[in-house]
Amino acid sequence: MQLKTSVAIAHSNIALCKYWGKLDTQRNLPAVPSLSLTLEALRTTTQVTFTPGLEQDELRLNGELAPPEATARVHELLERVRREASSTLYARVSSVNEFPTAAGLASSASGFAALALAARHAAGLDCALDRVSALARASSVSAARSLFGGFVTLEAGAEHAVPFTPGPAANELCMVVALTQRGSKAIGSTRGMLHTQETSPYYESWRATAPRLYAAQREQLAQGDLEALGASVEQSALMMHASMLAARPALIYFAPATLAAMQCVYELRRAGAFAYFTMDAGPHVKVLTLDAQRAAVAAALSAVPGVHQVIVSRPGPGARLVQS
Ligand code: DP6
């Protein structure tokens, strides 16, 4: 095994058509297809060095030694790499989130995408993006999509994500993220979706309906029917949250400012703007809009009581290796 330090950058992605639920928990395969947009403004840089003499894998997050649960998930990915590379060397991993804020935006998608690429490269393994995407997916399904730039799809049961080429109208799309609460979320997405699968009477109808929304979104993006796309983006998020709300006990990720920001999006639309919301397993509101309207949408969201920061992002590129 070749010994070296590798550094990779990956950007976070936001699903327009949500993944929520596992087909296979052992292999971490998604139960529903998803479609996402990779975001320029949210990125992670990760450095990996397989080091002789280390007694365990070491993880630093933004310069600080990481808590054991985070290190355990990184260790699991590195074990897969070591098995494939027939190596026994532990690694030093350092990951830095270059997000405009440290508070409250999930970094697992960009984090596992950057880690998967840097680790395979440092171990001297093939870095074809479908291989790297499959490795990232085994740790966190949404991370599989962050290997690719722009619009990306991941089929139900698929090992890896694939890039999606939309019609030209989609080039104007961008995203405004409204942060509605400080601090990290109460229940992580893995636990949240398993709980939904196990206890929500609405999970089955979510699982059965999600593929139709996915097919519709692909078509809307290809045709450049952005209004119809916006409507399906909102429906995907709300259907996913409906399945969580019906779990027992209920999973409620919304904060008061989440609803206020959604209301703001409805008002923007009534005033003629192009703006459609989506929310993940957390309280923040991500708004799909057009380049030409992003300043106005960001200004309106900034004025919502409880919104403490707004991040505007263009679509971003896929993961890549950089010089260490
Ligand atoms: C709500 O990819 O974080 O953001 O595979 O268990 O790590 P695991 O889950 P994760 O779930 C993301 C769920 C979501 C929707 C999405 O990104 O598609």
Side-chain angles (χ1 to χ4, degrees):
M1 168 174 177
Q2 213 178 327
L3 235 198
K4 62 177 176 232
T5 291
S6 296
V7 183
I9 293 181
H11 296 253
S12 202
N13 71 78
I14 301 296
L16 304 181
C17 200
K18 300 298 182 188
Y19 144 65
W20 193 252
K22 296 180 195 286
L23 184 69
D24 182 326
T25 44
Q26 278 300 313
R27 295 172 62 207
N28 204 35
L29 295 171
V32 295
S34 59
L35 188 156
S36 63
L37 181 60
T38 300
L39 293 188
E40 217 212 328
L42 309 176
R43 69 175 204 175
T44 301
T45 303
T46 300
Q47 173 170 323
V48 176
T49 314
F50 289 99
T51 311
L54 269 189
E55 289 183 1
Q56 54 187 20
D57 292 318
E58 261 179 39
L59 171 65
R60 287 186 175 271
L61 281 179
N62 298 323
E64 312 257 318
L65 217 50
E69 320 80 72
T71 309
R73 283 186 83 182
V74 163
H75 171 76
E76 233 176 75
L77 185 149
L78 293 170
E79 284 286 285
R80 292 194 176 93
V81 171
R82 279 187 284 264
R83 270 199 298 278
E84 199 176 329
S86 306
S87 164
T88 53
L89 293 181
Y90 290 115
R92 284 210 164 91
V93 177
S94 168
S95 191
V96 176
N97 286 326
E98 292 157 74
F99 289 13
T101 177
L105 267 182
S107 54
S108 74
S110 52
F112 281 111
L115 174 68
L117 181 55
R120 285 188 69 91
H121 190 255
L125 293 175
D126 169 9
C127 288
L129 287 179
D130 53 351
R131 289 287 190 86
V132 187
S133 173
L135 177 65
R137 191 265 314 138
S139 289
S140 187
V141 166
S142 55
R145 302 184 307 235
S146 273
L147 271 307
F148 303 97
F151 295 92
V152 183
T153 60
L154 180 65
E155 299 292 334
E159 294 280 343
H160 64 84
V162 287
F164 179 81
T165 310
N171 291 337
E172 321 250 312
L173 291 171
C174 69
M175 210 157 240
V176 178
V177 179
L179 300 183
T180 56
Q181 204 173 57
R182 292 171 209 273
S184 54
K185 59 193 173 192
I187 296 184
S189 28
T190 307
R191 256 183 72 203
M193 74 180 77
L194 292 177
H195 176 68
T196 307
Q197 265 179 269
E198 282 155 15
T199 67
S200 173
Y202 293 177
Y203 176 75
E204 188 40 41
S205 60
W206 153 255
R207 200 204 50 73
T209 321
R212 264 179 267 155
L213 266 184
Y214 171 74
Q217 283 197 16
R218 290 180 64 113
E219 188 58 23
Q220 289 147 359
L221 268 173
Q223 300 300 325
D225 189 351
L226 301 187
E227 262 83 29
L229 174 74
S232 348
V233 167
E234 288 192 352
Q235 196 183 5
S236 172
L238 292 172
M239 270 170 40
M240 175 184 78
H241 280 278
S243 76
M244 301 168 179
L245 289 170
R248 199 171 157 160
L251 264 181
I252 305 175
Y253 285 106
F254 295 170
T258 311
L259 294 169
M262 290 160 68
Q263 202 59 47
C264 169
V265 169
Y266 286 143
E267 278 158 23
L268 279 164
R269 278 221 294 281
R270 272 198 290 277
F274 180 92
Y276 294 88
F277 58 70
T278 183
M279 290 79 58
D280 294 296
H284 308 307
V285 178
K286 292 109 184 190
V287 180
L288 188 68
T289 184
L290 301 174
D291 257 343
Q293 298 180 21
R294 65 187 187 181
V297 169
L301 287 164
S302 301
V304 171
V307 170
H308 64 87
Q309 190 179 356
V310 165
I311 301 161
V312 179
S313 184
R314 293 275 306 136
R320 66 239 175 239
L321 291 159
V322 289
Q323 294 293 334
S324 49

